[in-house]
Amino acid sequence: PPPRKLEKPPSQTVVVIGDSMADWLGYGLDEKYADHPEIGVERNIHAASGLVRYDAKNEALDWPEAAKETLSKEKPDAIVVMLGLNDRLPLRDKTQPKRNGDPAKNQPGQGSKDKAASPAGSDAPPQTAKQTGSQHSSSGGPYDFHTDQWATLYGKRIDEMIAALKSKGVPVIWVGLPALRGTKATSDMSYLDQLYREHAERAGLIYVDIWDGFVDEDGDYAMQGPDFEGQIRRLRTADGVYFTKAGAVKIASYVDRELQRVMPNSVAPVT
């Protein structure tokens, strides 16, 4: 859904940065603050992006660089980031020189098929360790998702993103990913969330864990559940990935609690 339009500039602005998941979070915040025009929500979304690849057509550009450029034009009172849905891909160490003959632009799982929803809602993400074959440690990768080398390199990219966001000097909130439909997909999201939490907390960021709000009593993906007011609603869309309005507002409610702590002038009520 498109961002809401305010009649006059807000007194406080929250900048939401990330992929298609962040877009739904931004929508939820717009709905949450519908009666509070003094709080503006600016979305900086690149739907199919991630920390593995920001833009399939421009390998030189990455999220930290893009975030710095965006934030240089904004005056946020807080920054909220949510991404990772598209990051279940092989990862190369960008500090290592590429050997002659390495098909860098056509590594398995890194082609033009990298769409926002393609790796989501399925037990078979675009490329897994079994599909991409052996590691190439001497050339800096590519390393497969779920390997130790991948986690180390991905952690560095999380740290680079955090540094870019903190450079603005305002509170930064990192929002974890929810469970997706499918055991493998849910496990992948949990794995990424562990990395985000570890690096965010180490850097002094606020980490918002939304996991329990979108699983059932057994810890499995749930299509419906209590909304932010406790009413049982359908929270997820039919694709098993994204959110209904009630689901988006529920995410926003988790984030709003933290925003009220770091934005003292916020007047939106805590639920």
Side-chain angles (χ1 to χ4, degrees):
R4 63 180 174 145
K5 295 182 180 180
L6 300 176
E7 295 182 359
K8 61 181 181 179
S11 59
Q12 292 184 303
T13 301
V14 178
V15 173
V16 178
I17 291 177
D19 57 20
S20 50
M21 282 289 192
D23 208 8
W24 283 96
L25 168 59
Y27 165 56
L29 287 171
D30 274 337
E31 291 294 321
K32 185 76 174 175
Y33 300 144
D35 297 328
H36 296 278
E38 70 278 7
I39 303 177
V41 179
E42 294 288 339
R43 301 186 214 171
N44 180 234
I45 305 300
H46 199 86
S49 68
L51 296 179
V52 173
R53 176 181 287 106
Y54 176 80
D55 188 339
K57 297 180 180 179
N58 186 354
E59 293 185 1
L61 190 66
D62 57 23
W63 250 121
E65 180 182 345
K68 282 184 178 180
E69 181 178 346
T70 294
L71 293 173
S72 68
K73 306 171 186 176
E74 301 280 357
K75 295 182 179 180
D77 294 279
I79 300 167
V80 181
V81 60
M82 186 179 188
L83 46 71
L85 181 66
N86 306 298
D87 280 347
R88 292 173 287 171
L89 298 168
L91 181 58
R92 179 183 290 278
D93 186 352
K94 57 185 177 183
T95 64
Q96 292 283 341
K98 297 181 178 66
R99 297 180 302 174
N100 291 333
D102 278 353
K105 294 185 179 180
N106 295 299
Q107 291 297 340
Q110 297 188 0
S112 60
K113 295 181 180 179
D114 182 20
K115 303 296 183 181
S118 60
S122 168
D123 281 348
Q127 295 294 332
T128 64
K130 292 182 179 179
Q131 293 170 298
T132 53
S134 62
Q135 306 294 346
H136 305 284
S137 58
S138 62
S139 63
Y143 300 112
D144 296 327
F145 184 56
H146 271 297
T147 61
D148 291 341
Q149 299 97 324
W150 190 98
T152 298
L153 290 176
Y154 193 73
K156 291 180 180 178
R157 298 197 181 190
I158 296 173
D159 292 340
E160 290 171 0
M161 184 66 171
I162 289 173
L165 299 175
K166 289 180 70 175
S167 67
K168 197 65 178 178
V170 300
V172 179
I173 297 173
W174 194 297
V175 184
L177 297 168
L180 303 182
R181 183 169 56 205
T183 304
K184 178 67 168 61
T186 290
S187 175
D188 289 345
M189 296 300 101
S190 178
Y191 172 74
L192 288 170
D193 280 348
Q194 292 176 16
L195 295 174
Y196 300 143
R197 179 192 292 275
E198 174 187 344
H199 288 266
E201 293 182 347
R202 184 189 303 163
L205 268 60
I206 298 169
Y207 179 78
V208 174
D209 187 343
I210 65 171
W211 190 268
D212 288 345
F214 296 93
V215 294
D216 59 22
E217 59 275 10
D218 296 323
D220 298 325
Y221 166 87
M223 178 71 78
Q224 65 178 21
D227 64 10
F228 77 100
E229 294 179 324
Q231 301 296 315
I232 300 300
R233 301 279 188 88
R234 180 167 176 172
L235 303 175
R236 309 299 288 270
T237 49
D239 57 15
V241 181
Y242 299 116
F243 303 93
T244 61
K245 178 179 177 179
V249 173
K250 186 171 185 177
I251 301 178
S253 298
Y254 281 92
V255 176
D256 175 56
R257 272 186 295 216
E258 300 301 330
L259 286 173
Q260 290 201 61
R261 292 200 304 109
V262 299
M263 293 169 56
N265 296 328
S266 176
V267 296
V270 176
T271 302

